[in-house]
Amino acid sequence: MMITHDTRCALNAVVDLLNTAPEGDAPGATDSLTDLAALQAFVTRNAISDVGTLGDRDLASVRAVRARFADVFAAPDDRTAAERLNDLVAAAGTTPRLTDHDGYDWHVHYFAPGASVAEHLAADGGMALAFLVVAGERERLRHCEAPDCRFAFVDLSRNRSRRYCDSRTCGNRLHVAAYRARRREATR
């Protein structure tokens, strides 16, 4: 499956946004998108362009978009995911346009000029997720299988076999634990 640079960036921003939310009812789960400084850090980390001065309304709107992305990841089937994405993208006032900026070659922005950061995320992120649904690849939208981690990720591996948000942390930690359990069992 070929994914363009701008689609990959939009998917990465969606995942990063989802992972700012607290992980369910886990003890100590905290929301890391609680103030304007955190929102600005998110915008900077994801190189989100055409964002003006951020305000409290932006923070509330981005958190609402985050919840809508979570609903797409949780959709029980493609039809439900498509309906949720259609609503999200339509509400963002999607206006596709070609652009080349900041050293990137031609790519499509789906947000309207002057859009808020939430509309920007909803339009570009919604369209990136829509491409996965159209390609029949919605199963690539996953959550980490580590028992103490439920971070979201998009499995872009060739054979769709990725199980953990990060193989160096969650995956490795579980493999080491399984190895130690086997060693303990072998010494009994």
Side-chain angles (χ1 to χ4, degrees):
M1 181 172 136
M2 188 183 128
I3 296 181
T4 61
H5 172 77
D6 52 317
T7 300
R8 185 179 296 256
C9 289
L11 289 171
N12 290 343
V14 168
V15 166
D16 189 19
L17 181 60
L18 286 170
N19 291 337
T20 64
E23 296 178 47
D25 298 326
T30 59
D31 189 331
S32 63
L33 192 61
T34 57
D35 58 25
L36 290 177
L39 179 57
Q40 183 61 57
F42 168 82
V43 165
T44 302
R45 186 170 60 246
N46 288 283
I48 298 173
S49 61
D50 294 334
V51 175
T53 303
L54 299 172
D56 290 333
R57 175 179 272 168
D58 292 309
L59 180 61
S61 297
V62 168
R63 289 171 59 123
V65 167
R66 177 180 69 186
R68 294 184 78 178
F69 282 142
D71 288 344
V72 171
F73 266 68
D77 54 52
D78 288 350
R79 181 163 307 282
T80 304
E83 289 169 359
R84 291 174 181 173
L85 285 167
N86 283 338
D87 291 343
L88 177 68
V89 170
T94 306
T95 307
R97 61 190 165 98
L98 286 168
T99 183
D100 64 339
H101 62 88
D102 299 330
Y104 295 109
D105 208 358
W106 289 106
H107 58 282
V108 180
H109 280 190
Y110 294 95
F111 59 94
S116 70
V117 66
E119 291 166 334
H120 179 140
L121 290 168
D124 280 0
M127 289 304 299
L129 293 171
F131 292 143
L132 290 179
V133 172
V134 167
E137 300 285 350
R138 191 179 63 84
E139 74 274 0
R140 291 181 182 272
L141 306 179
R142 301 205 176 143
H143 286 90
C144 186
E145 291 183 18
D148 59 341
C149 178
R150 294 299 297 153
F151 273 176
F153 66 93
V154 178
D155 179 5
L156 296 178
S157 67
R158 177 173 282 178
N159 62 359
R160 298 174 196 84
S161 62
R162 188 169 156 201
R163 298 174 49 207
Y164 306 109
C165 63
D166 185 347
S167 61
R168 290 180 303 233
T169 54
C170 290
N172 192 42
R173 187 174 67 246
L174 287 177
H175 292 292
V176 168
Y179 170 78
R180 288 180 179 157
R182 285 192 306 272
R183 298 287 293 165
R184 276 192 304 273
E185 196 61 35
T187 60
R188 289 186 182 180

